[in-house]
Amino acid sequence: RLSFILSLTVSAVNMIVGAIYGAIEGYYGGKLDLFMERFSDILSAVPFMIVITLLKYHMGASSQALVLFIAFFLTGWIGMAGLTRMQFYRFKNQEYVLAARTLGARDARIMFKHILPGVTHLLIMSTAMTSAGIMVAEAGLSFLGLGLPTNVISWGSLMSLSQNAMLTGAWWLLLIPGTFLVVTLICITEIGESLRTQNRRDKLI
């Protein structure tokens, strides 16, 4: 349950922040876009392991789930922002946008009422794929002892606890949470692929 909650929450927050950030970049362009793009490039260049190590060092007394949330959020929204930015560059000069601007619509209304709904399906598809990646990262970090502690139940912490049991021959204690994790990831990936296929069919129609 904690693995699901963490991945879905981080993915949703990344989608919201990335969509707003990318919408501003793509709509206004120019020097503002250049500055915001360089800022996101600097953030994306910071290695994730350094980020989570520093957060665990400075927030050792805080909840480890909160530490993971902040670590995944700091750079997780950048991909969503880039996707939204490209779509805004594509649609901001379309006829319906120019008509809305001519009729006196404000920038915020054009961005979030006229352009953003047209790219929502892409954001949802990307969010589904991102949530699977976050779930894998949380399980891997918890398995290595860098994520959730063993007294907090998640797939990663269960696999971490089962390492010692494997030495006594109880290999199924690792197999059970690992199998559930793999099946869940396959299901999430299939959902993302179905959304992508539906998007292609809509374009053909």
Side-chain angles (χ1 to χ4, degrees), residues 30-82:
K31 294 182 179 180
L32 179 62
D33 177 36
L34 182 63
F35 172 77
M36 295 176 72
E37 192 67 13
R38 297 292 77 79
F39 174 73
S40 60
D41 288 342
I42 292 172
L43 282 182
S44 62
V46 180
F48 178 77
M49 294 303 296
I50 293 179
V51 172
I52 194 168
T53 302
L54 291 176
L55 286 174
K56 288 179 71 68
Y57 177 76
H58 290 286
M59 301 176 62
S62 302
S63 170
Q64 296 303 305
L66 177 61
V67 173
L68 284 178
F69 174 84
I70 297 175
F72 287 132
F73 167 72
L74 283 178
T75 56
W77 55 269
I78 295 176
M80 198 72 66

CSV table of all heavy atoms in Angstrom, one decimal, residues 30-82:
chain,number,residue,atom,x,y,z
A,30,GLY,N,11.0,32.6,-25.7
A,30,GLY,CA,12.0,33.7,-25.6
A,30,GLY,C,13.0,33.5,-24.4
A,30,GLY,O,13.4,32.4,-24.1
A,31,LYS,N,13.3,34.6,-23.8
A,31,LYS,CA,14.3,34.6,-22.7
A,31,LYS,C,13.8,33.9,-21.5
A,31,LYS,O,14.6,33.2,-20.8
A,31,LYS,CB,14.7,36.0,-22.4
A,31,LYS,CG,15.5,36.8,-23.5
A,31,LYS,CD,15.9,38.2,-23.0
A,31,LYS,CE,16.7,38.9,-24.2
A,31,LYS,NZ,17.1,40.2,-23.7
A,32,LEU,N,12.5,34.0,-21.2
A,32,LEU,CA,12.0,33.3,-20.1
A,32,LEU,C,12.1,31.8,-20.3
A,32,LEU,O,12.5,31.1,-19.3
A,32,LEU,CB,10.5,33.7,-19.9
A,32,LEU,CG,9.8,33.0,-18.7
A,32,LEU,CD1,10.4,33.4,-17.4
A,32,LEU,CD2,8.3,33.3,-18.7
A,33,ASP,N,11.8,31.3,-21.5
A,33,ASP,CA,12.0,29.9,-21.7
A,33,ASP,C,13.4,29.5,-21.6
A,33,ASP,O,13.7,28.4,-21.1
A,33,ASP,CB,11.4,29.6,-23.1
A,33,ASP,CG,11.6,28.1,-23.6
A,33,ASP,OD1,11.5,27.3,-22.7
A,33,ASP,OD2,11.9,27.9,-24.7
A,34,LEU,N,14.3,30.3,-22.1
A,34,LEU,CA,15.8,30.0,-22.0
A,34,LEU,C,16.2,29.9,-20.6
A,34,LEU,O,16.9,28.9,-20.2
A,34,LEU,CB,16.6,31.0,-22.7
A,34,LEU,CG,18.1,30.8,-22.8
A,34,LEU,CD1,18.4,29.6,-23.6
A,34,LEU,CD2,18.8,32.0,-23.4
A,35,PHE,N,15.8,30.8,-19.7
A,35,PHE,CA,16.2,30.8,-18.3
A,35,PHE,C,15.6,29.6,-17.6
A,35,PHE,O,16.3,28.9,-16.9
A,35,PHE,CB,15.7,32.1,-17.6
A,35,PHE,CG,15.9,32.1,-16.2
A,35,PHE,CD1,17.2,32.3,-15.6
A,35,PHE,CD2,14.8,31.9,-15.3
A,35,PHE,CE1,17.3,32.3,-14.2
A,35,PHE,CE2,15.0,31.9,-13.9
A,35,PHE,CZ,16.3,32.1,-13.4
A,36,MET,N,14.3,29.3,-17.8
A,36,MET,CA,13.7,28.2,-17.1
A,36,MET,C,14.2,26.9,-17.6
A,36,MET,O,14.4,25.9,-16.8
A,36,MET,CB,12.2,28.3,-17.4
A,36,MET,CG,11.5,29.5,-16.8
A,36,MET,SD,9.7,29.6,-17.1
A,36,MET,CE,9.1,28.3,-16.1
A,37,GLU,N,14.6,26.8,-18.9
A,37,GLU,CA,15.2,25.5,-19.4
A,37,GLU,C,16.5,25.3,-18.8
A,37,GLU,O,16.9,24.1,-18.5
A,37,GLU,CB,15.2,25.6,-20.9
A,37,GLU,CG,15.5,24.3,-21.6
A,37,GLU,CD,14.4,23.3,-21.4
A,37,GLU,OE1,13.3,23.6,-21.0
A,37,GLU,OE2,14.7,22.1,-21.7
A,38,ARG,N,17.3,26.3,-18.7
A,38,ARG,CA,18.7,26.2,-18.1
A,38,ARG,C,18.6,25.8,-16.6
A,38,ARG,O,19.4,25.0,-16.1
A,38,ARG,CB,19.5,27.4,-18.2
A,38,ARG,CG,19.8,27.9,-19.6
A,38,ARG,CD,20.7,27.0,-20.4
A,38,ARG,NE,20.1,25.7,-20.8
A,38,ARG,CZ,19.4,25.7,-21.9
A,38,ARG,NH1,19.1,26.7,-22.6
A,38,ARG,NH2,18.8,24.5,-22.3
A,39,PHE,N,17.6,26.3,-15.9
A,39,PHE,CA,17.4,25.9,-14.5
A,39,PHE,C,17.0,24.5,-14.4
A,39,PHE,O,17.6,23.8,-13.5
A,39,PHE,CB,16.2,26.8,-13.9
A,39,PHE,CG,15.9,26.4,-12.5
A,39,PHE,CD1,16.7,26.7,-11.5
A,39,PHE,CD2,14.7,25.7,-12.3
A,39,PHE,CE1,16.4,26.4,-10.2
A,39,PHE,CE2,14.3,25.4,-11.0
A,39,PHE,CZ,15.2,25.7,-9.9
A,40,SER,N,16.1,24.0,-15.2
A,40,SER,CA,15.8,22.6,-15.2
A,40,SER,C,17.0,21.7,-15.6
A,40,SER,O,17.1,20.6,-15.1
A,40,SER,CB,14.6,22.3,-16.1
A,40,SER,OG,14.8,22.6,-17.4
A,41,ASP,N,17.8,22.2,-16.5
A,41,ASP,CA,19.0,21.4,-16.9
A,41,ASP,C,20.0,21.2,-15.7
A,41,ASP,O,20.6,20.2,-15.6
A,41,ASP,CB,19.7,22.1,-18.1
A,41,ASP,CG,19.0,22.0,-19.4
A,41,ASP,OD1,18.1,21.1,-19.5
A,41,ASP,OD2,19.2,22.8,-20.3
A,42,ILE,N,20.1,22.3,-15.0
A,42,ILE,CA,21.0,22.2,-13.8
A,42,ILE,C,20.5,21.2,-12.8
A,42,ILE,O,21.2,20.4,-12.2
A,42,ILE,CB,21.1,23.6,-13.2
A,42,ILE,CG1,21.9,24.6,-14.1
A,42,ILE,CG2,21.9,23.6,-11.8
A,42,ILE,CD1,21.9,26.0,-13.6
A,43,LEU,N,19.2,21.2,-12.5
A,43,LEU,CA,18.6,20.3,-11.6
A,43,LEU,C,18.7,18.8,-12.1
A,43,LEU,O,19.1,17.9,-11.3
A,43,LEU,CB,17.1,20.6,-11.4
A,43,LEU,CG,16.8,21.8,-10.4
A,43,LEU,CD1,15.2,21.9,-10.3
A,43,LEU,CD2,17.4,21.6,-9.1
A,44,SER,N,18.5,18.6,-13.4
A,44,SER,CA,18.6,17.3,-13.9
A,44,SER,C,20.0,16.7,-13.9
A,44,SER,O,20.2,15.5,-14.0
A,44,SER,CB,18.0,17.2,-15.3
A,44,SER,OG,18.7,18.1,-16.2
A,45,ALA,N,21.0,17.6,-13.9
A,45,ALA,CA,22.4,17.2,-13.9
A,45,ALA,C,22.9,16.7,-12.5
A,45,ALA,O,23.9,16.1,-12.5
A,45,ALA,CB,23.3,18.3,-14.4
A,46,VAL,N,22.1,16.9,-11.5
A,46,VAL,CA,22.5,16.5,-10.1
A,46,VAL,C,22.2,15.0,-10.0
A,46,VAL,O,21.0,14.6,-10.2
A,46,VAL,CB,21.8,17.3,-9.0
A,46,VAL,CG1,22.2,16.8,-7.7
A,46,VAL,CG2,22.1,18.8,-9.2
A,47,PRO,N,23.2,14.2,-9.7
A,47,PRO,CA,22.9,12.7,-9.5
A,47,PRO,C,21.9,12.4,-8.4
A,47,PRO,O,21.9,13.1,-7.4
A,47,PRO,CB,24.3,12.1,-9.2
A,47,PRO,CG,25.3,13.1,-9.7
A,47,PRO,CD,24.6,14.5,-9.5
A,48,PHE,N,21.0,11.5,-8.7
A,48,PHE,CA,19.9,11.2,-7.8
A,48,PHE,C,20.4,10.6,-6.4
A,48,PHE,O,19.9,10.9,-5.4
A,48,PHE,CB,18.9,10.2,-8.4
A,48,PHE,CG,17.8,9.8,-7.5
A,48,PHE,CD1,16.7,10.6,-7.2
A,48,PHE,CD2,17.8,8.5,-6.8
A,48,PHE,CE1,15.7,10.2,-6.4
A,48,PHE,CE2,16.8,8.1,-6.0
A,48,PHE,CZ,15.8,9.0,-5.8
A,49,MET,N,21.5,9.8,-6.5
A,49,MET,CA,22.0,9.2,-5.3
A,49,MET,C,22.6,10.3,-4.4
A,49,MET,O,22.5,10.2,-3.1
A,49,MET,CB,23.1,8.2,-5.6
A,49,MET,CG,22.6,7.0,-6.4
A,49,MET,SD,21.3,6.1,-5.5
A,49,MET,CE,22.2,5.6,-4.0
A,50,ILE,N,23.2,11.3,-4.9
A,50,ILE,CA,23.7,12.4,-4.1
A,50,ILE,C,22.6,13.2,-3.4
A,50,ILE,O,22.6,13.5,-2.3
A,50,ILE,CB,24.5,13.4,-5.0
A,50,ILE,CG1,25.8,12.7,-5.4
A,50,ILE,CG2,24.9,14.7,-4.2
A,50,ILE,CD1,26.7,13.6,-6.3
A,51,VAL,N,21.5,13.4,-4.2
A,51,VAL,CA,20.3,14.1,-3.6
A,51,VAL,C,19.7,13.3,-2.4
A,51,VAL,O,19.5,13.9,-1.4
A,51,VAL,CB,19.2,14.2,-4.7
A,51,VAL,CG1,17.9,14.8,-4.1
A,51,VAL,CG2,19.7,15.2,-5.8
A,52,ILE,N,19.5,12.0,-2.6
A,52,ILE,CA,18.9,11.2,-1.5
A,52,ILE,C,19.8,11.1,-0.4
A,52,ILE,O,19.4,11.1,0.8
A,52,ILE,CB,18.4,9.9,-2.1
A,52,ILE,CG1,17.4,9.2,-1.0
A,52,ILE,CG2,19.5,8.9,-2.4
A,52,ILE,CD1,16.7,8.1,-1.6
A,53,THR,N,21.1,11.0,-0.6
A,53,THR,CA,22.1,10.9,0.5
A,53,THR,C,22.1,12.1,1.3
A,53,THR,O,22.1,12.1,2.6
A,53,THR,CB,23.5,10.6,-0.1
A,53,THR,OG1,23.5,9.4,-0.8
A,53,THR,CG2,24.5,10.4,1.1
A,54,LEU,N,22.1,13.3,0.7
A,54,LEU,CA,22.1,14.6,1.4
A,54,LEU,C,20.8,14.8,2.2
A,54,LEU,O,20.8,15.3,3.3
A,54,LEU,CB,22.3,15.7,0.4
A,54,LEU,CG,23.7,15.8,-0.2
A,54,LEU,CD1,23.7,17.0,-1.3
A,54,LEU,CD2,24.8,16.1,0.8
A,55,LEU,N,19.7,14.4,1.6
A,55,LEU,CA,18.4,14.5,2.2
A,55,LEU,C,18.3,13.6,3.5
A,55,LEU,O,17.9,14.0,4.5
A,55,LEU,CB,17.3,14.2,1.3
A,55,LEU,CG,16.9,15.2,0.2
A,55,LEU,CD1,15.9,14.7,-0.7
A,55,LEU,CD2,16.4,16.5,0.9
A,56,LYS,N,18.8,12.4,3.4
A,56,LYS,CA,18.8,11.5,4.5
A,56,LYS,C,19.8,12.0,5.6
A,56,LYS,O,19.5,11.8,6.8
A,56,LYS,CB,19.2,10.1,4.1
A,56,LYS,CG,18.2,9.3,3.3
A,56,LYS,CD,18.7,8.0,2.8
A,56,LYS,CE,18.7,7.0,4.0
A,56,LYS,NZ,17.4,6.7,4.6
A,57,TYR,N,20.9,12.6,5.2
A,57,TYR,CA,21.8,13.2,6.2
A,57,TYR,C,21.2,14.4,6.9
A,57,TYR,O,21.3,14.5,8.2
A,57,TYR,CB,23.1,13.6,5.5
A,57,TYR,CG,24.1,14.2,6.4
A,57,TYR,CD1,24.9,13.4,7.3
A,57,TYR,CD2,24.3,15.6,6.4
A,57,TYR,CE1,25.8,14.0,8.1
A,57,TYR,CE2,25.3,16.2,7.2
A,57,TYR,CZ,26.0,15.4,8.1
A,57,TYR,OH,26.9,16.0,8.9
A,58,HIS,N,20.5,15.3,6.2
A,58,HIS,CA,20.0,16.5,6.8
A,58,HIS,C,18.6,16.3,7.4
A,58,HIS,O,18.1,17.1,8.2
A,58,HIS,CB,19.9,17.6,5.8
A,58,HIS,CG,21.3,18.1,5.4
A,58,HIS,ND1,22.0,18.9,6.3
A,58,HIS,CD2,22.0,18.0,4.3
A,58,HIS,CE1,23.2,19.3,5.7
A,58,HIS,NE2,23.2,18.7,4.5
A,59,MET,N,17.9,15.2,7.0
A,59,MET,CA,16.5,15.0,7.5
A,59,MET,C,16.4,13.6,8.1
A,59,MET,O,15.4,12.9,8.0
A,59,MET,CB,15.5,15.1,6.3
A,59,MET,CG,15.5,16.4,5.6
A,59,MET,SD,14.4,16.5,4.2
A,59,MET,CE,12.8,16.1,5.0
A,60,GLY,N,17.5,13.2,8.8
A,60,GLY,CA,17.5,11.9,9.4
A,60,GLY,C,16.4,11.6,10.4
A,60,GLY,O,15.9,10.5,10.5
A,61,ALA,N,15.9,12.7,11.1
A,61,ALA,CA,14.9,12.5,12.1
A,61,ALA,C,13.5,12.5,11.5
A,61,ALA,O,12.5,12.2,12.2
A,61,ALA,CB,15.0,13.6,13.2
A,62,SER,N,13.4,12.9,10.2
A,62,SER,CA,12.1,13.0,9.5
A,62,SER,C,11.7,11.6,9.0
A,62,SER,O,12.4,10.7,9.0
A,62,SER,CB,12.2,14.0,8.4
A,62,SER,OG,12.6,15.3,8.9
A,63,SER,N,10.4,11.6,8.6
A,63,SER,CA,9.9,10.3,8.0
A,63,SER,C,10.7,10.0,6.7
A,63,SER,O,10.9,10.9,5.9
A,63,SER,CB,8.4,10.5,7.7
A,63,SER,OG,7.9,9.4,6.9
A,64,GLN,N,11.1,8.7,6.6
A,64,GLN,CA,11.8,8.3,5.4
A,64,GLN,C,10.9,8.4,4.1
A,64,GLN,O,11.4,8.6,3.0
A,64,GLN,CB,12.3,6.9,5.6
A,64,GLN,CG,13.4,6.8,6.7
A,64,GLN,CD,14.5,7.7,6.5
A,64,GLN,OE1,15.2,7.7,5.5
A,64,GLN,NE2,14.8,8.6,7.5
A,65,ALA,N,9.6,8.2,4.3
A,65,ALA,CA,8.7,8.3,3.2
A,65,ALA,C,8.7,9.8,2.7
A,65,ALA,O,8.7,10.0,1.5
A,65,ALA,CB,7.3,7.9,3.6
A,66,LEU,N,8.8,10.7,3.6
A,66,LEU,CA,8.9,12.2,3.2
A,66,LEU,C,10.2,12.4,2.5
A,66,LEU,O,10.2,13.2,1.5
A,66,LEU,CB,8.8,13.0,4.4
A,66,LEU,CG,8.9,14.6,4.2
A,66,LEU,CD1,7.8,15.0,3.3
A,66,LEU,CD2,8.8,15.3,5.5
A,67,VAL,N,11.3,11.8,3.0
A,67,VAL,CA,12.6,12.0,2.3
A,67,VAL,C,12.5,11.5,0.9
A,67,VAL,O,13.0,12.1,-0.1
A,67,VAL,CB,13.7,11.3,3.1
A,67,VAL,CG1,15.0,11.3,2.4
A,67,VAL,CG2,13.9,11.9,4.5
A,68,LEU,N,12.0,10.3,0.7
A,68,LEU,CA,11.8,9.7,-0.7
A,68,LEU,C,10.9,10.6,-1.5
A,68,LEU,O,11.2,10.8,-2.7
A,68,LEU,CB,11.3,8.3,-0.6
A,68,LEU,CG,12.2,7.2,-0.1
A,68,LEU,CD1,11.5,5.9,-0.1
A,68,LEU,CD2,13.4,7.1,-1.1
A,69,PHE,N,9.9,11.1,-1.0
A,69,PHE,CA,9.0,12.0,-1.7
A,69,PHE,C,9.7,13.2,-2.3
A,69,PHE,O,9.6,13.6,-3.4
A,69,PHE,CB,7.8,12.4,-0.9
A,69,PHE,CG,6.9,13.4,-1.5
A,69,PHE,CD1,5.9,13.0,-2.4
A,69,PHE,CD2,7.0,14.8,-1.3
A,69,PHE,CE1,5.0,13.9,-3.0
A,69,PHE,CE2,6.2,15.7,-1.9
A,69,PHE,CZ,5.2,15.2,-2.8
A,70,ILE,N,10.5,13.9,-1.4
A,70,ILE,CA,11.2,15.1,-1.8
A,70,ILE,C,12.3,14.7,-2.8
A,70,ILE,O,12.4,15.4,-3.8
A,70,ILE,CB,11.8,15.7,-0.6
A,70,ILE,CG1,10.7,16.2,0.4
A,70,ILE,CG2,12.7,16.9,-1.0
A,70,ILE,CD1,11.3,16.8,1.7
A,71,ALA,N,12.9,13.6,-2.6
A,71,ALA,CA,14.0,13.2,-3.6
A,71,ALA,C,13.4,12.9,-4.9
A,71,ALA,O,14.0,13.3,-6.0
A,71,ALA,CB,14.7,12.0,-3.0
A,72,PHE,N,12.3,12.2,-5.0
A,72,PHE,CA,11.7,11.9,-6.3
A,72,PHE,C,11.1,13.1,-6.9
A,72,PHE,O,11.0,13.2,-8.2
A,72,PHE,CB,10.6,10.8,-6.1
A,72,PHE,CG,11.1,9.5,-5.9
A,72,PHE,CD1,10.6,8.7,-4.9
A,72,PHE,CD2,12.1,8.9,-6.7
A,72,PHE,CE1,11.1,7.4,-4.6
A,72,PHE,CE2,12.6,7.6,-6.4
A,72,PHE,CZ,12.1,6.9,-5.4
A,73,PHE,N,10.6,14.1,-6.1
A,73,PHE,CA,10.0,15.3,-6.6
A,73,PHE,C,11.0,16.3,-7.2
A,73,PHE,O,10.7,17.0,-8.2
A,73,PHE,CB,9.1,15.9,-5.6
A,73,PHE,CG,8.7,17.3,-5.9
A,73,PHE,CD1,7.7,17.5,-6.9
A,73,PHE,CD2,9.2,18.4,-5.3
A,73,PHE,CE1,7.3,18.8,-7.2
A,73,PHE,CE2,8.8,19.7,-5.6
A,73,PHE,CZ,7.8,19.9,-6.6
A,74,LEU,N,12.2,16.4,-6.6
A,74,LEU,CA,13.1,17.5,-6.9
A,74,LEU,C,13.4,17.5,-8.4
A,74,LEU,O,13.6,18.5,-9.0
A,74,LEU,CB,14.4,17.3,-6.1
A,74,LEU,CG,14.3,17.8,-4.7
A,74,LEU,CD1,15.6,17.6,-3.9
A,74,LEU,CD2,13.9,19.3,-4.6
A,75,THR,N,13.6,16.3,-9.0
A,75,THR,CA,13.9,16.3,-10.5
A,75,THR,C,12.8,15.5,-11.3
A,75,THR,O,12.9,15.4,-12.5
A,75,THR,CB,15.3,15.6,-10.7
A,75,THR,OG1,15.3,14.3,-10.0
A,75,THR,CG2,16.4,16.4,-10.0
A,76,GLY,N,11.9,14.9,-10.6
A,76,GLY,CA,10.9,14.1,-11.3
A,76,GLY,C,10.0,14.8,-12.2
A,76,GLY,O,9.4,14.3,-13.2
A,77,TRP,N,9.8,16.1,-11.9
A,77,TRP,CA,8.8,16.9,-12.7
A,77,TRP,C,9.4,17.4,-14.0
A,77,TRP,O,8.7,17.9,-14.9
A,77,TRP,CB,8.3,18.1,-11.9
A,77,TRP,CG,9.4,19.0,-11.4
A,77,TRP,CD1,10.1,18.9,-10.2
A,77,TRP,CD2,10.1,20.1,-12.1
A,77,TRP,NE1,11.0,19.8,-10.1
A,77,TRP,CE2,11.1,20.6,-11.2
A,77,TRP,CE3,9.9,20.7,-13.3
A,77,TRP,CZ2,11.9,21.6,-11.5
A,77,TRP,CZ3,10.7,21.7,-13.6
A,77,TRP,CH2,11.7,22.2,-12.8
A,78,ILE,N,10.8,17.3,-14.2
A,78,ILE,CA,11.4,17.9,-15.3
A,78,ILE,C,11.0,17.3,-16.7
A,78,ILE,O,10.8,17.9,-17.7
A,78,ILE,CB,13.0,17.8,-15.1
A,78,ILE,CG1,13.4,18.6,-13.9
A,78,ILE,CG2,13.7,18.3,-16.4
A,78,ILE,CD1,14.9,18.5,-13.6
A,79,GLY,N,10.9,15.9,-16.7
A,79,GLY,CA,10.4,15.3,-17.9
A,79,GLY,C,9.0,15.7,-18.3
A,79,GLY,O,8.7,15.9,-19.5
A,80,MET,N,8.1,15.8,-17.3
A,80,MET,CA,6.8,16.2,-17.6
A,80,MET,C,6.8,17.7,-18.1
A,80,MET,O,6.0,18.0,-19.0
A,80,MET,CB,5.9,16.1,-16.3
A,80,MET,CG,4.5,16.1,-16.5
A,80,MET,SD,3.9,14.6,-17.3
A,80,MET,CE,4.2,13.5,-16.0
A,81,ALA,N,7.6,18.5,-17.6
A,81,ALA,CA,7.7,19.9,-18.0
A,81,ALA,C,8.2,20.0,-19.5
A,81,ALA,O,7.7,20.8,-20.3
A,81,ALA,CB,8.6,20.7,-17.1
A,82,GLY,N,9.2,19.1,-19.8
A,82,GLY,CA,9.7,19.1,-21.2
A,82,GLY,C,8.6,18.7,-22.2
A,82,GLY,O,8.5,19.2,-23.3
